[in-house]
Amino acid sequence: MSQPFAKLPAWADYGLLPLINLIVAFLVAGLVVMLVGESPIDAAVLMVKGAFGSGDGVGYTLYYATNFIFTGLCVAVAFHCGLFNIGGEGQAYIGGLGVTIVGLGLGNSLPWWLVFPLAILASALVGALWALIPAWLQAKRGSHVVITTIMFNFIAASIMVYLLVGVLKPLGSQAPETRVFGDGGQLPGLGWLLNIIGLDMRSAPLNISFLLALLAAFLVWLLIWRTKLGYEIRTMGFSPKAARYAGISELRIIIITMMISGALAGMMALNPIMGAQHRMQLDFVQGAGFVGIAVALMGRSHPVGIVLAAILFGMLYQGGAEIAFDMPNISRDMIVIIQGLVILFAGALEHMFRPSLQRIFQRVGRVKRETASVVTAGGGQ
Amino acid sequence: MDFLITLLQLFDSTIRLSVPLLLACLAGLYSERSGIFDIGLEGKMLAGAFAAGTVAAWYGSAWAGLLAAVLVSVALGLVHGFASITHRGNQIVSGVAINFIAAGTTVILGQAWFSQGGRTPSLPNTARFNPINLPGAEAMRGVPIIGPIYYELISGHSILVYLAFLLVPFTWWVLYRTRFGLRLRAVGENPAAVDTAGVSVPWLRYRAVICCGVLCGVAGAYLATAQGAGFVKDMTAGKGYIALAALIFAKWRPVQAMFACLLFGFLDAVAIRMQGHPMPLIGEVPVQLMQALPYILTIVLLAGFIGKAIPPKAGGVAYVKER
């Protein structure tokens, strides 16, 4: 029998380990930057400046972060149930349909504060329904949710291309997008929020759905750790056998979890469609559904971690766009690499550094205990 | 006669389109039969295509490109193995990571090295795998029925096409008639039994992952140096996932994998041909429907409506040796 490792203290498990994984991911990304002949340090400085150096920079960073909070939560909720929902991309894409129907239909006649709740409901509902079929297939037929959600991403993309190229496009227009929504279909910006902290936002599309994302993060925390349903979801995630033994219905939990997950992904569509472009464009999700995987893994499926990780990725997106001006060899695709590396090191290789870290903590703990016993022995004399 | 030629051309493009699927599908077969799920077929194929395009452009040799493609793809496969075999990480997460790393790196390096928007330079015919005219193809052309079939359909493909189809019986033989194949199948179903027999589970699985890398590399090289003339950004365009779908469709068996890939390749060929041509009775079928059809069919299959697809039992589960 080998010695069981000491349990890591919470701060090391939730803070240090993700940090080490992140640093390694960035070091490898730095290598790629060097490979294309640029300085990684200059790139990092440019990126941080681009993301936080101006009011617009911050606005864009938080705008992107909004997308990633939603998709990160989507992946995380499913993770808690032991399900891997790769379908966030497709669920968000299809969710756009809900937003668009409400935005096109009611945008001209109702004020935004009436349209907004309806659009939230519609996007969540459509996203949830898109996740329902894979969920049902997993629960009832045992078909792996990973495979089915990947397939559903492609099916969603086909449907949306079909709709945007044909049905939803205004007559006589060439661009594959809907017409611009009426005033009611446009969400107010959050420039005032940045004004409070002394920043001036001019053109960044940060809007009220950022607050909705934060609210969603809080509600997910409440759901997962403070409700009976959340307890059941986590039980299923830890041990489906234990859950079954406890009389928890597998079918019910899988379907509910996946629908919540899909609803969260669907709500992501609010941000770019109602918040920024005020119309639905082809491929508006832009991979945010996949970024959600990296965000959820880095944030360790905890809403606080997800919000932080989402802001980090928002920074990468915004800062990455800024780098491209000065270093033409580094485009947005650099983010895709970083995203992949984060998924690799924070996800697939998360156990790589754990044993050595545990060994260090064990040694430190033993030294501490020994010195403590020496001190008490000395005090006794 | 015209109809026959049209049909033959359709089948001909079916073969061309299904070859990358078939290679990737067989790649996935080796990996998944050993119990290592591989979502990363797409990424390995893409990285392979990029390596092939780059090296073929540099050295003017398709074979050098093929070698580079195989090396790069195997390297990525080993990363997948390192994460999921050695460190017992989540295989799906690892595969997803590889897809992203490949998607980003190919564009960044392509742009930095060639400055053509992520493309590699267009290859001359000398740096590509060119069609081979089988002996007697010209002579046989005039023979009714058999002649056109031989000339249009069987002759005139690049060597990688013949390789891909020869790999089907070869894979069958390896899987069902060799010791390695028996152990490979066993380790995917019950690794503990293999371990008890004194065979190293990790080493077997590493070998499977390497086989998978080799075939994904060939698939990538086919895309960049046989079907196309150089690498184009996001060249695989979801073919890795369709291959995965085909693998499920074939229930992880080699011969059936070939038929599944031919079916999906046929759908693709029909979709390309039908663009803008209305069909009799049903009118114009949206291209998007045809493109989505492989995925829809796989879903229907997975739902258990066309027989049940049961993956290798130990698939996706890291093996922990008892201590």
Side-chain angles (χ1 to χ4, degrees), chain A residues 2 36 84 137 141 143 147 151-152 154 158 161 290 333-334 336-337 339-340 343 348-349 352, chain B residues 83 87 89 92-94 97 100 104-105 107-108 112 241 248 288 295 299 302-303 305 308 323:
Chain A
S2 61
V36 298
F84 193 171
L137 289 174
R141 296 278 184 164
S143 18
I147 305 290
M151 304 292 143
F152 267 71
F154 284 102
S158 292
V161 170
F290 296 120
D333 296 282
M334 193 69 217
V336 181
I337 302 181
Q339 189 183 324
I343 296 177
L349 286 171
M352 187 161 65
Chain B
H87 285 288
I92 288 155
V93 175
S94 162
F100 283 125
T105 315
V107 177
I108 291 280
Y241 297 113
I248 297 166
Q288 290 84 13
Y295 306 111
I299 299 275
L302 276 172
F305 295 123
K308 205 161 164 57
R323 282 186 283 201

mmCIF file of all heavy atoms in Angstrom, chain A residues 2 36 84 137 141 143 147 151-152 154 158 161 290 333-334 336-337 339-340 343 348-349 352, chain B residues 83 87 89 92-94 97 100 104-105 107-108 112 241 248 288 295 299 302-303 305 308 323:
data_model
loop_
_atom_site.group_PDB
_atom_site.id
_atom_site.type_symbol
_atom_site.label_atom_id
_atom_site.label_comp_id
_atom_site.label_asym_id
_atom_site.label_seq_id
_atom_site.Cartn_x
_atom_site.Cartn_y
_atom_site.Cartn_z
ATOM 1 N N SER A 2 0.557 2.140 -0.889
ATOM 2 C CA SER A 2 1.303 3.398 -0.865
ATOM 3 C C SER A 2 0.624 4.360 0.103
ATOM 4 O O SER A 2 -0.560 4.237 0.399
ATOM 5 C CB SER A 2 1.353 3.995 -2.254
ATOM 6 O OG SER A 2 0.034 4.255 -2.684
ATOM 7 N N VAL A 36 6.718 32.592 -33.468
ATOM 8 C CA VAL A 36 6.374 33.454 -34.598
ATOM 9 C C VAL A 36 7.190 34.746 -34.568
ATOM 10 O O VAL A 36 6.922 35.680 -35.300
ATOM 11 C CB VAL A 36 4.862 33.795 -34.656
ATOM 12 C CG1 VAL A 36 4.052 32.540 -34.834
ATOM 13 C CG2 VAL A 36 4.422 34.563 -33.439
ATOM 14 N N PHE A 84 -20.961 16.108 -19.560
ATOM 15 C CA PHE A 84 -20.101 17.042 -20.274
ATOM 16 C C PHE A 84 -20.909 17.597 -21.447
ATOM 17 O O PHE A 84 -21.123 16.930 -22.428
ATOM 18 C CB PHE A 84 -18.848 16.323 -20.769
ATOM 19 C CG PHE A 84 -17.772 17.245 -21.250
ATOM 20 C CD1 PHE A 84 -16.523 16.754 -21.560
ATOM 21 C CD2 PHE A 84 -17.992 18.602 -21.382
ATOM 22 C CE1 PHE A 84 -15.508 17.595 -22.006
ATOM 23 C CE2 PHE A 84 -16.998 19.457 -21.820
ATOM 24 C CZ PHE A 84 -15.758 18.944 -22.134
ATOM 25 N N LEU A 137 -31.911 11.476 -24.626
ATOM 26 C CA LEU A 137 -31.209 10.330 -25.209
ATOM 27 C C LEU A 137 -30.216 9.743 -24.213
ATOM 28 O O LEU A 137 -30.032 8.536 -24.135
ATOM 29 C CB LEU A 137 -30.489 10.750 -26.482
ATOM 30 C CG LEU A 137 -31.381 11.045 -27.677
ATOM 31 C CD1 LEU A 137 -30.571 11.592 -28.823
ATOM 32 C CD2 LEU A 137 -32.117 9.786 -28.093
ATOM 33 N N ARG A 141 -31.784 6.449 -23.293
ATOM 34 C CA ARG A 141 -31.215 5.508 -24.249
ATOM 35 C C ARG A 141 -29.737 5.250 -24.008
ATOM 36 O O ARG A 141 -29.129 4.455 -24.713
ATOM 37 C CB ARG A 141 -31.392 6.053 -25.671
ATOM 38 C CG ARG A 141 -32.833 6.182 -26.087
ATOM 39 C CD ARG A 141 -33.338 4.844 -26.544
ATOM 40 N NE ARG A 141 -34.693 4.896 -27.053
ATOM 41 C CZ ARG A 141 -35.213 3.920 -27.771
ATOM 42 N NH1 ARG A 141 -34.488 2.871 -28.077
ATOM 43 N NH2 ARG A 141 -36.444 4.000 -28.175
ATOM 44 N N SER A 143 -27.276 7.081 -24.808
ATOM 45 C CA SER A 143 -26.339 7.571 -25.823
ATOM 46 C C SER A 143 -25.541 8.726 -25.226
ATOM 47 O O SER A 143 -26.097 9.619 -24.607
ATOM 48 C CB SER A 143 -27.060 8.024 -27.080
ATOM 49 O OG SER A 143 -28.411 8.254 -26.829
ATOM 50 N N ILE A 147 -21.220 13.013 -27.457
ATOM 51 C CA ILE A 147 -21.374 12.807 -28.897
ATOM 52 C C ILE A 147 -22.629 13.511 -29.400
ATOM 53 O O ILE A 147 -22.600 14.237 -30.393
ATOM 54 C CB ILE A 147 -21.460 11.307 -29.217
ATOM 55 C CG1 ILE A 147 -20.233 10.571 -28.651
ATOM 56 C CG2 ILE A 147 -21.585 11.076 -30.697
ATOM 57 C CD1 ILE A 147 -18.949 10.864 -29.356
ATOM 58 N N MET A 151 -23.009 16.575 -32.193
ATOM 59 C CA MET A 151 -23.841 16.475 -33.393
ATOM 60 C C MET A 151 -24.865 17.613 -33.421
ATOM 61 O O MET A 151 -25.137 18.195 -34.465
ATOM 62 C CB MET A 151 -24.592 15.136 -33.418
ATOM 63 C CG MET A 151 -23.707 13.905 -33.317
ATOM 64 S SD MET A 151 -22.704 13.680 -34.749
ATOM 65 C CE MET A 151 -21.201 13.069 -34.056
ATOM 66 N N PHE A 152 -25.413 17.927 -32.268
ATOM 67 C CA PHE A 152 -26.425 18.984 -32.221
ATOM 68 C C PHE A 152 -25.824 20.359 -32.506
ATOM 69 O O PHE A 152 -26.531 21.242 -32.989
ATOM 70 C CB PHE A 152 -27.157 18.965 -30.872
ATOM 71 C CG PHE A 152 -28.406 18.143 -30.924
ATOM 72 C CD1 PHE A 152 -28.340 16.770 -31.013
ATOM 73 C CD2 PHE A 152 -29.647 18.749 -30.924
ATOM 74 C CE1 PHE A 152 -29.479 16.014 -31.106
ATOM 75 C CE2 PHE A 152 -30.798 18.001 -31.022
ATOM 76 C CZ PHE A 152 -30.716 16.629 -31.106
ATOM 77 N N PHE A 154 -23.611 20.872 -34.818
ATOM 78 C CA PHE A 154 -23.582 20.966 -36.276
ATOM 79 C C PHE A 154 -24.993 21.134 -36.832
ATOM 80 O O PHE A 154 -25.212 21.910 -37.767
ATOM 81 C CB PHE A 154 -22.927 19.717 -36.867
ATOM 82 C CG PHE A 154 -21.436 19.725 -36.712
ATOM 83 C CD1 PHE A 154 -20.817 18.969 -35.738
ATOM 84 C CD2 PHE A 154 -20.652 20.516 -37.534
ATOM 85 C CE1 PHE A 154 -19.439 18.988 -35.590
ATOM 86 C CE2 PHE A 154 -19.279 20.539 -37.396
ATOM 87 C CZ PHE A 154 -18.670 19.772 -36.417
ATOM 88 N N SER A 158 -26.406 24.233 -39.071
ATOM 89 C CA SER A 158 -27.082 24.073 -40.364
ATOM 90 C C SER A 158 -28.430 24.781 -40.367
ATOM 91 O O SER A 158 -28.778 25.488 -41.321
ATOM 92 C CB SER A 158 -27.287 22.593 -40.666
ATOM 93 O OG SER A 158 -26.055 21.971 -40.890
ATOM 94 N N VAL A 161 -27.941 28.588 -40.441
ATOM 95 C CA VAL A 161 -27.511 29.073 -41.753
ATOM 96 C C VAL A 161 -28.710 29.073 -42.696
ATOM 97 O O VAL A 161 -28.974 30.048 -43.409
ATOM 98 C CB VAL A 161 -26.380 28.195 -42.332
ATOM 99 C CG1 VAL A 161 -26.114 28.562 -43.773
ATOM 100 C CG2 VAL A 161 -25.121 28.354 -41.515
ATOM 101 N N PHE A 290 -17.582 27.184 -26.731
ATOM 102 C CA PHE A 290 -16.406 26.356 -26.459
ATOM 103 C C PHE A 290 -15.511 27.004 -25.413
ATOM 104 O O PHE A 290 -14.913 26.323 -24.591
ATOM 105 C CB PHE A 290 -15.639 26.094 -27.747
ATOM 106 C CG PHE A 290 -16.411 25.296 -28.739
ATOM 107 C CD1 PHE A 290 -16.695 25.799 -29.985
ATOM 108 C CD2 PHE A 290 -16.888 24.043 -28.402
ATOM 109 C CE1 PHE A 290 -17.427 25.063 -30.894
ATOM 110 C CE2 PHE A 290 -17.617 23.296 -29.300
ATOM 111 C CZ PHE A 290 -17.891 23.807 -30.554
ATOM 112 N N ASP A 333 -6.571 34.183 -33.287
ATOM 113 C CA ASP A 333 -6.413 32.731 -33.182
ATOM 114 C C ASP A 333 -5.465 32.342 -32.063
ATOM 115 O O ASP A 333 -5.471 31.214 -31.598
ATOM 116 C CB ASP A 333 -5.922 32.169 -34.515
ATOM 117 C CG ASP A 333 -6.937 32.365 -35.608
ATOM 118 O OD1 ASP A 333 -7.898 31.599 -35.645
ATOM 119 O OD2 ASP A 333 -6.788 33.313 -36.384
ATOM 120 N N MET A 334 -4.638 33.299 -31.638
ATOM 121 C CA MET A 334 -3.780 33.051 -30.476
ATOM 122 C C MET A 334 -4.639 32.668 -29.266
ATOM 123 O O MET A 334 -4.250 31.816 -28.464
ATOM 124 C CB MET A 334 -2.993 34.341 -30.184
ATOM 125 C CG MET A 334 -1.850 34.173 -29.231
ATOM 126 S SD MET A 334 -0.533 33.203 -29.981
ATOM 127 C CE MET A 334 -0.013 32.295 -28.562
ATOM 128 N N VAL A 336 -7.381 31.083 -29.325
ATOM 129 C CA VAL A 336 -7.827 29.695 -29.465
ATOM 130 C C VAL A 336 -6.762 28.756 -28.916
ATOM 131 O O VAL A 336 -7.066 27.769 -28.249
ATOM 132 C CB VAL A 336 -8.145 29.379 -30.937
ATOM 133 C CG1 VAL A 336 -8.624 27.948 -31.083
ATOM 134 C CG2 VAL A 336 -9.186 30.336 -31.455
ATOM 135 N N ILE A 337 -5.491 29.091 -29.182
ATOM 136 C CA ILE A 337 -4.404 28.260 -28.651
ATOM 137 C C ILE A 337 -4.422 28.309 -27.124
ATOM 138 O O ILE A 337 -4.358 27.269 -26.460
ATOM 139 C CB ILE A 337 -3.034 28.749 -29.154
ATOM 140 C CG1 ILE A 337 -2.993 28.744 -30.680
ATOM 141 C CG2 ILE A 337 -1.923 27.868 -28.595
ATOM 142 C CD1 ILE A 337 -1.664 29.179 -31.246
ATOM 143 N N GLN A 339 -6.780 29.048 -25.163
ATOM 144 C CA GLN A 339 -7.968 28.329 -24.706
ATOM 145 C C GLN A 339 -7.700 26.822 -24.676
ATOM 146 O O GLN A 339 -7.982 26.155 -23.676
ATOM 147 C CB GLN A 339 -9.048 28.658 -25.717
ATOM 148 C CG GLN A 339 -10.427 28.247 -25.438
ATOM 149 C CD GLN A 339 -11.264 28.645 -26.645
ATOM 150 O OE1 GLN A 339 -11.034 29.682 -27.270
ATOM 151 N NE2 GLN A 339 -12.203 27.821 -27.003
ATOM 152 N N GLY A 340 -7.117 26.316 -25.733
ATOM 153 C CA GLY A 340 -6.796 24.894 -25.783
ATOM 154 C C GLY A 340 -5.818 24.501 -24.699
ATOM 155 O O GLY A 340 -5.979 23.471 -24.045
ATOM 156 N N ILE A 343 -7.532 24.427 -21.372
ATOM 157 C CA ILE A 343 -8.343 23.210 -21.242
ATOM 158 C C ILE A 343 -7.436 22.016 -20.967
ATOM 159 O O ILE A 343 -7.736 21.159 -20.135
ATOM 160 C CB ILE A 343 -9.188 22.980 -22.507
ATOM 161 C CG1 ILE A 343 -10.194 24.107 -22.671
ATOM 162 C CG2 ILE A 343 -9.913 21.656 -22.445
ATOM 163 C CD1 ILE A 343 -11.025 24.023 -23.921
ATOM 164 N N ALA A 348 -7.534 18.409 -18.573
ATOM 165 C CA ALA A 348 -7.077 17.034 -18.770
ATOM 166 C C ALA A 348 -5.862 16.699 -17.912
ATOM 167 O O ALA A 348 -5.694 15.576 -17.465
ATOM 168 C CB ALA A 348 -6.749 16.810 -20.245
ATOM 169 N N LEU A 349 -5.005 17.691 -17.672
ATOM 170 C CA LEU A 349 -3.787 17.412 -16.903
ATOM 171 C C LEU A 349 -3.875 17.985 -15.499
ATOM 172 O O LEU A 349 -2.859 18.297 -14.885
ATOM 173 C CB LEU A 349 -2.568 17.982 -17.633
ATOM 174 C CG LEU A 349 -2.118 17.210 -18.869
ATOM 175 C CD1 LEU A 349 -1.063 17.967 -19.629
ATOM 176 C CD2 LEU A 349 -1.594 15.840 -18.484
ATOM 177 N N MET A 352 -1.674 16.575 -12.864
ATOM 178 C CA MET A 352 -0.239 16.441 -13.078
ATOM 179 C C MET A 352 0.564 17.021 -11.925
ATOM 180 O O MET A 352 1.517 16.423 -11.453
ATOM 181 C CB MET A 352 0.155 17.115 -14.388
ATOM 182 C CG MET A 352 1.592 16.864 -14.760
ATOM 183 S SD MET A 352 1.952 17.157 -16.475
ATOM 184 C CE MET A 352 1.678 18.886 -16.644
ATOM 185 N N ALA B 83 -1.940 12.732 -21.260
ATOM 186 C CA ALA B 83 -2.987 13.257 -20.376
ATOM 187 C C ALA B 83 -3.932 12.164 -19.922
ATOM 188 O O ALA B 83 -4.271 12.066 -18.743
ATOM 189 C CB ALA B 83 -3.768 14.365 -21.089
ATOM 190 N N HIS B 87 -1.652 10.378 -16.929
ATOM 191 C CA HIS B 87 -2.184 11.189 -15.834
ATOM 192 C C HIS B 87 -3.663 10.962 -15.564
ATOM 193 O O HIS B 87 -4.263 11.665 -14.754
ATOM 194 C CB HIS B 87 -1.895 12.666 -16.090
ATOM 195 C CG HIS B 87 -0.459 13.008 -15.839
ATOM 196 N ND1 HIS B 87 0.071 13.054 -14.573
ATOM 197 C CD2 HIS B 87 0.551 13.268 -16.670
ATOM 198 C CE1 HIS B 87 1.356 13.337 -14.649
ATOM 199 N NE2 HIS B 87 1.682 13.468 -15.914
ATOM 200 N N GLY B 89 -6.297 11.745 -16.950
ATOM 201 C CA GLY B 89 -7.189 12.892 -17.089
ATOM 202 C C GLY B 89 -8.421 12.508 -17.885
ATOM 203 O O GLY B 89 -8.507 11.401 -18.418
ATOM 204 N N ILE B 92 -12.124 13.175 -22.840
ATOM 205 C CA ILE B 92 -12.875 14.075 -23.711
ATOM 206 C C ILE B 92 -12.323 15.483 -23.598
ATOM 207 O O ILE B 92 -12.115 16.168 -24.598
ATOM 208 C CB ILE B 92 -14.371 14.005 -23.367
ATOM 209 C CG1 ILE B 92 -14.900 12.659 -23.849
ATOM 210 C CG2 ILE B 92 -15.125 15.136 -24.016
ATOM 211 C CD1 ILE B 92 -16.089 12.178 -23.121
ATOM 212 N N VAL B 93 -12.038 15.892 -22.364
ATOM 213 C CA VAL B 93 -11.463 17.223 -22.161
ATOM 214 C C VAL B 93 -10.148 17.335 -22.927
ATOM 215 O O VAL B 93 -9.888 18.330 -23.617
ATOM 216 C CB VAL B 93 -11.242 17.479 -20.659
ATOM 217 C CG1 VAL B 93 -10.528 18.795 -20.443
ATOM 218 C CG2 VAL B 93 -12.566 17.489 -19.927
ATOM 219 N N SER B 94 -9.340 16.301 -22.829
ATOM 220 C CA SER B 94 -8.050 16.312 -23.504
ATOM 221 C C SER B 94 -8.221 16.411 -25.024
ATOM 222 O O SER B 94 -7.515 17.172 -25.698
ATOM 223 C CB SER B 94 -7.287 15.047 -23.120
ATOM 224 O OG SER B 94 -6.258 14.808 -24.005
ATOM 225 N N ALA B 97 -9.171 19.859 -26.001
ATOM 226 C CA ALA B 97 -8.007 20.746 -25.917
ATOM 227 C C ALA B 97 -7.160 20.623 -27.177
ATOM 228 O O ALA B 97 -6.746 21.632 -27.761
ATOM 229 C CB ALA B 97 -7.185 20.405 -24.685
ATOM 230 N N PHE B 100 -8.552 22.516 -30.130
ATOM 231 C CA PHE B 100 -8.352 23.966 -30.080
ATOM 232 C C PHE B 100 -6.894 24.323 -30.365
ATOM 233 O O PHE B 100 -6.615 25.275 -31.095
ATOM 234 C CB PHE B 100 -8.748 24.522 -28.719
ATOM 235 C CG PHE B 100 -10.228 24.630 -28.564
ATOM 236 C CD1 PHE B 100 -10.875 24.037 -27.509
ATOM 237 C CD2 PHE B 100 -10.969 25.328 -29.497
ATOM 238 C CE1 PHE B 100 -12.247 24.133 -27.372
ATOM 239 C CE2 PHE B 100 -12.335 25.431 -29.378
ATOM 240 C CZ PHE B 100 -12.980 24.829 -28.302
ATOM 241 N N GLY B 104 -5.850 26.722 -33.508
ATOM 242 C CA GLY B 104 -5.168 28.007 -33.341
ATOM 243 C C GLY B 104 -3.767 27.996 -33.913
ATOM 244 O O GLY B 104 -3.382 28.898 -34.658
ATOM 245 N N THR B 105 -3.013 26.950 -33.600
ATOM 246 C CA THR B 105 -1.597 26.937 -33.985
ATOM 247 C C THR B 105 -1.428 26.925 -35.504
ATOM 248 O O THR B 105 -0.560 27.621 -36.033
ATOM 249 C CB THR B 105 -0.906 25.693 -33.393
ATOM 250 O OG1 THR B 105 -1.310 25.568 -32.038
ATOM 251 C CG2 THR B 105 0.595 25.842 -33.434
ATOM 252 N N VAL B 107 -3.236 28.231 -37.785
ATOM 253 C CA VAL B 107 -3.464 29.555 -38.381
ATOM 254 C C VAL B 107 -2.332 30.510 -38.021
ATOM 255 O O VAL B 107 -1.802 31.220 -38.880
ATOM 256 C CB VAL B 107 -4.813 30.135 -37.904
ATOM 257 C CG1 VAL B 107 -5.003 31.524 -38.476
ATOM 258 C CG2 VAL B 107 -5.935 29.231 -38.338
ATOM 259 N N ILE B 108 -1.950 30.512 -36.738
ATOM 260 C CA ILE B 108 -0.906 31.449 -36.293
ATOM 261 C C ILE B 108 0.418 31.160 -37.009
ATOM 262 O O ILE B 108 1.043 32.062 -37.566
ATOM 263 C CB ILE B 108 -0.713 31.329 -34.762
ATOM 264 C CG1 ILE B 108 -1.939 31.875 -34.033
ATOM 265 C CG2 ILE B 108 0.546 32.044 -34.321
ATOM 266 C CD1 ILE B 108 -1.970 33.367 -33.918
ATOM 267 N N ALA B 112 2.356 33.421 -39.810
ATOM 268 C CA ALA B 112 3.695 33.928 -39.523
ATOM 269 C C ALA B 112 4.699 33.448 -40.570
ATOM 270 O O ALA B 112 5.611 34.185 -40.934
ATOM 271 C CB ALA B 112 4.135 33.474 -38.134
ATOM 272 N N TYR B 241 -15.279 15.045 -36.813
ATOM 273 C CA TYR B 241 -16.492 14.702 -36.064
ATOM 274 C C TYR B 241 -17.379 13.777 -36.875
ATOM 275 O O TYR B 241 -18.027 12.881 -36.334
ATOM 276 C CB TYR B 241 -17.260 15.971 -35.682
ATOM 277 C CG TYR B 241 -16.476 16.859 -34.756
ATOM 278 C CD1 TYR B 241 -16.030 18.101 -35.159
ATOM 279 C CD2 TYR B 241 -16.160 16.443 -33.473
ATOM 280 C CE1 TYR B 241 -15.305 18.914 -34.318
ATOM 281 C CE2 TYR B 241 -15.436 17.240 -32.620
ATOM 282 C CZ TYR B 241 -15.006 18.480 -33.046
ATOM 283 O OH TYR B 241 -14.277 19.279 -32.204
ATOM 284 N N ILE B 248 -19.227 5.452 -34.798
ATOM 285 C CA ILE B 248 -20.357 4.999 -33.991
ATOM 286 C C ILE B 248 -21.341 4.244 -34.873
ATOM 287 O O ILE B 248 -21.868 3.195 -34.514
ATOM 288 C CB ILE B 248 -21.048 6.208 -33.339
ATOM 289 C CG1 ILE B 248 -20.089 6.896 -32.380
ATOM 290 C CG2 ILE B 248 -22.312 5.776 -32.614
ATOM 291 C CD1 ILE B 248 -20.544 8.256 -31.956
ATOM 292 N N GLN B 288 -28.159 22.755 -46.555
ATOM 293 C CA GLN B 288 -27.874 22.603 -45.128
ATOM 294 C C GLN B 288 -28.437 21.296 -44.586
ATOM 295 O O GLN B 288 -27.830 20.679 -43.705
ATOM 296 C CB GLN B 288 -28.456 23.789 -44.334
ATOM 297 C CG GLN B 288 -27.749 25.096 -44.579
ATOM 298 C CD GLN B 288 -28.253 25.829 -45.809
ATOM 299 O OE1 GLN B 288 -29.295 25.483 -46.353
ATOM 300 N NE2 GLN B 288 -27.513 26.824 -46.265
ATOM 301 N N TYR B 295 -25.056 13.910 -39.254
ATOM 302 C CA TYR B 295 -25.225 14.098 -37.810
ATOM 303 C C TYR B 295 -26.593 13.604 -37.369
ATOM 304 O O TYR B 295 -26.736 12.961 -36.327
ATOM 305 C CB TYR B 295 -25.051 15.571 -37.451
ATOM 306 C CG TYR B 295 -23.741 16.142 -37.942
ATOM 307 C CD1 TYR B 295 -23.686 17.083 -38.949
ATOM 308 C CD2 TYR B 295 -22.534 15.703 -37.394
ATOM 309 C CE1 TYR B 295 -22.488 17.589 -39.404
ATOM 310 C CE2 TYR B 295 -21.335 16.198 -37.845
ATOM 311 C CZ TYR B 295 -21.314 17.141 -38.846
ATOM 312 O OH TYR B 295 -20.128 17.629 -39.297
ATOM 313 N N ILE B 299 -27.484 10.607 -34.722
ATOM 314 C CA ILE B 299 -28.345 10.781 -33.558
ATOM 315 C C ILE B 299 -29.420 9.700 -33.535
ATOM 316 O O ILE B 299 -29.681 9.073 -32.507
ATOM 317 C CB ILE B 299 -29.034 12.173 -33.588
ATOM 318 C CG1 ILE B 299 -28.001 13.289 -33.547
ATOM 319 C CG2 ILE B 299 -30.049 12.296 -32.469
ATOM 320 C CD1 ILE B 299 -27.539 13.689 -32.219
ATOM 321 N N LEU B 302 -27.862 6.575 -32.510
ATOM 322 C CA LEU B 302 -27.521 6.580 -31.088
ATOM 323 C C LEU B 302 -28.775 6.403 -30.235
ATOM 324 O O LEU B 302 -28.726 5.862 -29.142
ATOM 325 C CB LEU B 302 -26.832 7.897 -30.724
ATOM 326 C CG LEU B 302 -25.335 7.926 -30.998
ATOM 327 C CD1 LEU B 302 -24.799 9.316 -30.804
ATOM 328 C CD2 LEU B 302 -24.623 6.964 -30.073
ATOM 329 N N ALA B 303 -29.876 6.896 -30.757
ATOM 330 C CA ALA B 303 -31.115 6.768 -30.007
ATOM 331 C C ALA B 303 -31.575 5.324 -29.977
ATOM 332 O O ALA B 303 -32.518 4.983 -29.271
ATOM 333 C CB ALA B 303 -32.178 7.652 -30.633
ATOM 334 N N PHE B 305 -32.622 3.553 -32.647
ATOM 335 C CA PHE B 305 -33.694 3.221 -33.562
ATOM 336 C C PHE B 305 -33.209 2.340 -34.720
ATOM 337 O O PHE B 305 -33.990 1.728 -35.411
ATOM 338 C CB PHE B 305 -34.363 4.491 -34.100
ATOM 339 C CG PHE B 305 -35.047 5.263 -33.014
ATOM 340 C CD1 PHE B 305 -34.707 6.589 -32.766
ATOM 341 C CD2 PHE B 305 -36.007 4.668 -32.215
ATOM 342 C CE1 PHE B 305 -35.327 7.293 -31.753
ATOM 343 C CE2 PHE B 305 -36.625 5.378 -31.200
ATOM 344 C CZ PHE B 305 -36.289 6.691 -30.965
ATOM 345 N N LYS B 308 -28.554 -0.959 -31.735
ATOM 346 C CA LYS B 308 -27.945 -0.172 -30.665
ATOM 347 C C LYS B 308 -26.431 -0.123 -30.829
ATOM 348 O O LYS B 308 -25.797 -1.121 -31.126
ATOM 349 C CB LYS B 308 -28.289 -0.794 -29.319
ATOM 350 C CG LYS B 308 -28.232 0.220 -28.186
ATOM 351 C CD LYS B 308 -29.008 -0.284 -26.985
ATOM 352 C CE LYS B 308 -28.673 0.493 -25.734
ATOM 353 N NZ LYS B 308 -28.881 1.922 -25.828
ATOM 354 N N ARG B 323 -3.476 -1.556 -6.130
ATOM 355 C CA ARG B 323 -2.245 -1.515 -5.344
ATOM 356 C C ARG B 323 -2.357 -2.413 -4.116
ATOM 357 O O ARG B 323 -3.429 -2.574 -3.573
ATOM 358 C CB ARG B 323 -1.961 -0.080 -4.898
ATOM 359 C CG ARG B 323 -1.377 0.728 -6.040
ATOM 360 C CD ARG B 323 -0.960 2.079 -5.572
ATOM 361 N NE ARG B 323 -2.128 2.941 -5.411
ATOM 362 C CZ ARG B 323 -2.048 4.263 -5.407
ATOM 363 N NH1 ARG B 323 -0.907 4.858 -5.518
ATOM 364 N NH2 ARG B 323 -3.127 4.991 -5.265
#
